[in-house]
Amino acid sequence: NFQLKKAQADFLEFDYPKETFDLIYFDAFGARVQPELWTEELFEKLFQSIKSGGMLTTYSSKGSVRRALISVGFRVEKRPGPPGKREMLVAFKN
């Protein structure tokens, strides 16, 4: 049982509701292509929008991304990635 909400909006301009989401699937282009989507400022907005016990997952496993997620309060784990990708990150809000 789940509800899926899809919003067409600019990711940087979106008004993120507080403690609303159980899961964020963060599938942005890499930091070299879209550096504005990999900042602590944006991850802080995402952290605030996730319910306690929720998670964010991304195919990125860069150290700078992991550190940014940790700095805003996520507990981060590396997991095996999908085919063709060695590792990915899963970030939890406790």
Side-chain angles (χ1 to χ4, degrees):
N1 246 354
F2 71 94
Q3 183 180 36
L4 175 66
K5 292 182 182 181
K6 182 179 177 181
Q8 184 173 344
D10 183 314
F11 213 62
L12 297 173
E13 302 296 324
F14 186 68
D15 185 22
Y16 293 94
K18 301 288 186 212
E19 298 186 7
T20 300
F21 305 114
D22 295 303
L23 170 69
I24 294 177
Y25 175 68
F26 193 77
D27 190 25
F29 285 109
R32 278 184 285 143
V33 177
Q34 289 183 305
E36 67 277 9
L37 296 180
W38 299 93
T39 65
E40 285 184 27
E41 180 181 355
L42 180 59
F43 287 139
E44 175 67 29
K45 290 179 183 179
L46 298 177
F47 181 81
Q48 296 300 323
S49 72
I50 293 177
K51 293 177 185 176
S52 183
M55 65 186 268
L56 176 146
T57 183
T58 178
Y59 288 134
S60 177
S61 62
K62 287 184 69 168
S64 60
V65 173
R66 183 182 56 78
R67 288 186 296 275
L69 290 166
I70 290 169
S71 75
V72 301
F74 284 107
R75 179 177 54 82
V76 179
E77 297 178 6
K78 285 186 179 180
R79 299 275 176 91
K85 183 82 174 134
R86 189 177 67 187
E87 295 177 319
M88 60 186 285
L89 298 177
V90 179
F92 300 93
K93 181 176 181 180
N94 295 330

